[in-house]
Every structure is written in C-alpha cells, then in structure tokens.
Amino acid sequence: MIETDAPKKRRRADPAARDRSAPMPFPDRRKTPRPPLAEIRQGGTLRLMPPVVVSGAVRITELLLISLLGFGIYLGYVDYEGQQTHLFYLTAILIAILGYMTIAQTLGLYRVSSFNAFVPGFTRVFFAWTVVISGLMAIAFFTKVSADFSRVWIATWYASGLGVLFVERLAISLLAKKWLKEGRLYRRAVIVGGGPEAEHLIKALEASANADIRIVGIFDDRGPDRVGPIVAGYPKLGNVSDLVEYARGSRLDIIIVTLPISAERRLLHLLKKLWVLPVDIRLSAQSNPLRFRPRTYSYIGNVPFIDIADKPIANWDVVKKWVFDKTVALLAIVFLAPVMAVIAIAVKLDSKGPILFRQKRLGFNNEPIDILKFRTMYAHATDAQASKLVTRDDPRVTRVGRFLRRASLDELPQFFNVLKGDLSLVGPRPHAVKAKAADKLYQDAVDGYFARHRVKPGVTGWAQINGWRGETDTEEKIERRVEHDLYYIENWSVTFDLYILLMTPFALLKGENAF
C-alpha cells in the first residue's frame, strides 16, 4: 500500500510534434502568426536525440554488424587450420572495418542529413563497401596472399554485408524521418533580444546549411514600441521572466543571447536569471566588433558564438549516466529485496497505516516528482508537504521509523524511482515543495537555489556524504547543501558518482543530523 498526497500529473504532448510540415531547422516562415504562447508552452515530453549520440550509435552498429558478419561466415565456412588462420582473417576483417569507417566518414555517411535521405545515403554506403572489399582484394593480390583467402568467404561477406547495411540504413532512415518530424534531432532554441541584431543573426543561421537548431521564438524585455510581435518571421513570446517559465514547461535545448558583449550590466542581470536552467547558453558573436582567438568560439553551422554556459550532462554523458543508474539500481533492488521485505513487515507491525509513503518533491528542471519512502511516521501525522521538518525526538516518528531514518533505510524504495527515471543514483537530494530553513522556503533562503535542478536529483549526493543531511534549522545548513550540490553538478563524472556511492555507507554509519 502506498500513501499519496496528490493525483498524478497528466503528461502533455510536445508542441514540436504537431509541427510536422517543417523537417528542416528553419522552415519557410508563414504569413500567419505562429501558435499563441499558451499553446507553444504545452508539453516538453519528447527528448532531444543528440546528433553526436545518434551518429556514434550508427558507427558502433555498423562496426559490429560488419565484423560479426565477416567472422561468422569465416567460422561457418572456412576450415580451421590453426591460430595463424584466425589471425589472418581477423587482420583482414580489421582492415576492412577501418577502411569502411574512414571512407564513410569522408563521404558524410554519419551526418543526420545522410540518415534522413535513404537513396543517396545508401548509394554512398554501396560505394564505400565496394571500395573496401575491392581494396582488400587488391592488398591480398599485391602481397601475394590471395591464395590463402577463401573466395567464397569474401564474396559472401560482400553480398551479405550489402544486404545487412541496406536493412540497417533503411531502418535508420525511417527512425530519422520520425525523429525529424517530432523535432528530436534538432535543438529547440529561443533568442533573447529582438531588434536588428536578432534579425541579422536569424538570417545568418537560415543561410547556414549545417545549423542543427529550430528557433521557436523571441524573448525580449523591451516593449512593443521597441520590439514588435514578429521578429524576422518568429513570434515574440514574452520577456525574460516568461522565458524561465517557458523553459520549465517545454523542451528547450539552447538559449541564444543577441545582446552586445559591451552591455556587461544587462548581460549579468540576464544570466543571473537564466543560469538556473538546464540548457546551453550562447552569446552571439555575429555582430560583435571584438575579435578573439578562434578557439574562443563555438559554431552553429558556420555562425560564431561565445559559450556562456553548458548543459551539465549532455550527449554521451547522458548515456553513460543512464546505463550506470539503471544497472546499479537493478542490482541493488535484487540484492536488497530481503532487507526491504523485512523493513516492510516491521513498518506494518509497528503502527497502522500503509507501508510506503509517497511525497511530492521537485526534480529535474523543477518538475514535480513523486518520491517513494518507507513510512516512518504515524499515519495520522504524516506531512506530505514537509511544512514542518522532522526534529530530534519528534513525536510523529514511529519506533521503527526512528531507526530507519537514522540509517536512511527509509530511502531504499527510491531505487524504483531510479528505474522509473525520476531519480538518478547520485545527484542533489530532492527537497519537498514546502521545505523550509529557519522559516524560509529554500528558494528564498539561497540565491540561485534552483540551479541545483539542472540535473536529476539523486538517492544520495555529494552533500550527504560530507555531512550535510538531515535537519535544516538554519539558513547556513541549506546554503552548504546547495554549495555541495553545485560543486557536484560542475564536476560530474561516472567516477565521481561511483566514489559517492562507495562513500555513502560510511557517511550513514556516522548518523549525523539524521533523525
């Protein structure tokens, strides 16, 4: 049984999924205004499929398909004549793989545009694979080892390789078309700052063939007398405060600021509002008269930008953390199942009420999530909003609950939250919506508090293993927690996560501030 404090929130469709008429990042601008802000804000459920991750996944897939196919045909047809035969064919397969990867990269076969256009894409795949096999045969001929190769093996590998690559590229093409229509393969971008600077930037981006963004609108603090409702064909959606709200409700991947770099005060004021969002922030260098060293700039297409802030965990880091979380959480559930069963029985026997308690907390990008815990309070005294934090010898806590809270065993059901995707194993601990420090809500007590929500919250974290867990009866305690959380975000790595996990049991043994 689970005690819950609020009904489930309905998920809404991403507005990008409804705009199916424009597969390119810069569709033809319509004469009629775009959907109103209320409609555009809906959704945010569809996630970006970073091109670098998609490209890498295709590389790995083709590498495995070609190599396993070649070695499988060898094992099934060629007579084994000793270790030298194995080495001989493995060398040939390795040369073929390296050759194919090199030619495919040169021909642009790992670009998103190649995935989307099947016929021209597979034509180049056919050319690359044919050149590779022809080159392999030429090498064997000129090194006088062609007699040692099975002609049936190489002919079968060539023909079956083409067939497998055909099916693989067709599947990728269908997926790419689907993702393009849904907006998953392009970063959703907004521009902060209208006027001529924004118009020049938009024109430059539209003229850039390799820009991987789709602009959804403009945000500007200036009134309609300075910035009109439409800028270069894109709607003005509101001011900067509206942008923060928009980013909470819709998928947003990058914010482009068009203010001049000389407007230092305005930039600092703007960035103070925006840096709490889990997005890339770029300053346009298109109209900037100052010129820095080339390595200072990053590019969208061929348009230069200055990097202000990066999404903390992006691209392959997301994949690594996802695999780490799911693997360890699943193993933890399997091995800790007997412990959780004993705790469940103890909770049920100790006091009346449900075994599990569900509490609403703030997760990634301030999204409300439901956290599972073993119930540690008497059923009539549970506080789902955490309007009053638990203190030492709190009469609301049961006998079993006091032990569970001190050892943090009440948090064990959160491994299921990790499998569900609401939590990560390691990250800033999620706080209850109305949690307070010295009678102040956390966000009022700490400037920039919501920056800790740029990553998924965790079952454990850097602050927890450094003693900042439990009661927050002073503003200093929550400030120290947030400082540790931000340090973790800026220095994340899988190794750092592993270290925190390994140190967590030792931190729990101290039992500091947990009651």
Side-chain angles (χ1 to χ4, degrees), residues 313 317-325 424 426 488 492 497:
I313 303 175
D317 287 342
V318 174
V319 177
K320 290 187 287 185
K321 191 166 179 63
W322 185 91
V323 172
F324 180 80
D325 284 346
S424 181
V426 180
Y488 166 80
W492 175 85
D497 274 4

Side-chain angles (χ1 to χ4, degrees), residues 136-157:
L136 189 63
M137 294 173 66
I139 292 173
F141 175 78
F142 285 112
T143 56
K144 298 181 180 180
V145 296
S146 58
D148 297 325
F149 274 110
S150 166
R151 292 174 176 80
V152 173
W153 171 76
I154 199 164
T156 306
W157 189 26

